[in-house]
Amino acid sequence: MLKGGIPVSESKILVDVNNLKKHFSKGKDMRGRDTAVLKAVDGVSFQIRQGETFGLVGESGSGKSTVGRCLLRLYDYTAGEVSFDGQPLGKLGEKGLKPFRRRIQSIFQDPYSSLNPSLNVLELISEPMKIHGIYQGDERKEAVAALLERVGLKREHLYRYSHEFSGGQRQRISIARALSVRPEFVVCDEPISALDVSVQAQVVNMLEDLQSEFGLTYLFIAHDLSMVRHISDRIGVMYGGRLVEVAESDELYDNPLHPYTKALLSSILETDPQKVSQRIQLDGYAGAGNSGGQAELREVSPGHYVALD
Ligand SMILES: Nc1ncnc2c1ncn2[C@@H]1O[C@H](COP(=O)(O)OP(=O)(O)O)[C@@H](O)[C@H]1O
Ligand SMILES: [Mg+2]
């Protein structure tokens, strides 16, 4: 795909995820040692090029949001590394992270809980600008008004509160807030899942327009493949904390190789309940279990990777 005049496949690697693991403690003994761990992310590697949209799919609990939160450095990782524009983020403290807290932004699923109800739209959108010292006074207000119009809202909305808006409008406010500090990379964690189907496409189209306008790179997380195919250049499929398949979007659709990818696809393409139940059979699938170590991905055709069993 061509973005901003250069093919994405030739642009620089912006995000480099290398054998990332994030384990959560499920219990501790009397000495405070972990007695059981939940391997939410267990050896995930992928790269995202500048201007690219990398989709991450997989059913609920497969570890997608945890990957996103690690990329945002909202978590410390258990092992592995995430580099942004060549800089490893894992060992940076808050001071070192500050520039990356501007360059990397997020949009979450729930536009209801992610917007502080006691702030008006002007305050909501200008808050990140204040933190990062972008514009002052009237200039800042003008920038917020321009952004608001860019995401399809109006200047007269500046002094309203988030509860006065619909879900779709709130998500537009969240997008304006994320873009207010001119980020390079945006983690979109199920940004349309909570919205009415009628407004999902509008928000996705807007995200695409904003991407080419501002040269953005996206991680686009979703639990099914329907909208992701449209927006993503490449897609990674997560299962049990691991990536089981990575391919260009159309290739993944036309030629899914991993049984889990096939099941995921059939569950959205098939209305026949017997065929949908195919995915249940995957409960016994051992290839991506929490057995430790990195799942090995094998390149079966150019750019198409699948987990070895
Ligand atoms: N903060 C946390 N503490 C403990 N367990 C967590 C935490 N966040 C996620 N998990 C667990 O990690 C697994 C992966 O969760 P998540 O990344 O949210 O999956 P997804 O976004 O694909 O639905 C789940 O089993 C979830 O319960
Ligand atoms: Mg999630």
Side-chain angles (χ1 to χ4, degrees), residues 60-61 63-66 109 189-190 221:
S60 181
K64 306 180 300 294
S65 293
T66 304
Q109 173 174 356
D189 190 349
E190 310 225 18
I221 299 174

Side-chain angles (χ1 to χ4, degrees), residues 22-26 38-41 57-69 75 189-190 221-223 238 241:
K22 177 62 186 172
H23 299 172
F24 293 108
S25 172
K26 283 206 292 190
L38 186 135
K39 297 178 177 178
V41 174
V57 298
E59 66 195 339
S60 181
S62 56
K64 306 180 300 294
S65 293
T66 304
V67 169
R69 289 176 160 270
Y75 289 147
D189 190 349
E190 310 225 18
I221 299 174
H223 66 270
M238 280 196 78

Side-chain angles (χ1 to χ4, degrees), residues 43-242:
V44 162
S45 303
F46 61 91
Q47 299 175 327
I48 312 179
R49 290 186 180 272
Q50 190 166 41
E52 186 179 28
T53 298
F54 188 85
L56 205 53
V57 298
E59 66 195 339
S60 181
S62 56
K64 306 180 300 294
S65 293
T66 304
V67 169
R69 289 176 160 270
C70 287
L71 267 53
L72 290 160
R73 260 308 304 273
L74 296 176
Y75 289 147
D76 291 328
Y77 337 124
T78 306
E81 187 54 282
V82 174
S83 297
F84 183 81
D85 200 11
Q87 167 69 54
L89 302 182
K91 292 196 175 58
L92 291 180
E94 268 316 312
K95 193 157 172 270
L97 279 173
K98 181 135 194 223
F100 299 98
R101 297 249 180 264
R102 181 189 70 75
R103 298 172 73 186
I104 308 174
Q105 291 293 312
S106 54
I107 303 163
F108 291 108
Q109 173 174 356
D110 188 357
Y112 294 86
S113 63
S114 56
L115 296 175
N116 183 340
S118 66
L119 300 181
N120 67 32
V121 170
L122 174 60
E123 291 162 335
L124 280 170
I125 300 177
S126 51
E127 192 177 48
M129 290 174 152
K130 271 187 200 152
I131 292 170
H132 294 285
I134 295 174
Y135 295 125
Q136 305 295 331
D138 276 354
E139 231 180 14
R140 187 180 285 157
K141 189 176 143 191
E142 277 313 304
V144 171
L147 251 175
L148 204 57
E149 285 170 355
R150 180 60 194 81
V151 298
L153 292 169
K154 298 196 179 84
R155 181 178 277 267
E156 52 260 40
H157 291 142
L158 278 176
Y159 298 101
R160 301 229 188 124
Y161 291 83
S162 58
H163 65 84
E164 299 175 56
F165 295 94
S166 69
Q169 288 174 319
R170 288 184 210 212
Q171 203 54 304
R172 290 169 191 270
I173 296 168
S174 305
I175 293 167
R177 186 176 147 90
L179 298 190
S180 69
V181 293
R182 303 187 213 115
E184 291 151 64
F185 176 51
V186 185
V187 173
C188 307
D189 190 349
E190 310 225 18
I192 56 163
S193 304
L195 305 180
D196 287 346
V197 176
S198 58
V199 299
Q200 286 185 348
Q202 291 171 17
V203 172
V204 165
N205 289 338
M206 196 181 69
L207 285 170
E208 286 189 299
D209 291 346
L210 292 166
Q211 177 171 44
S212 37
E213 192 174 328
F214 297 110
L216 298 168
T217 304
Y218 288 150
L219 177 73
F220 194 92
I221 299 174
H223 66 270
D224 69 49
L225 289 166
S226 48
M227 203 60 91
V228 194
R229 178 186 193 178
H230 171 75
I231 195 167
S232 305
D233 297 290
R234 289 184 302 136
I235 296 176
V237 181
M238 280 196 78
Y239 183 67
R242 299 218 178 134

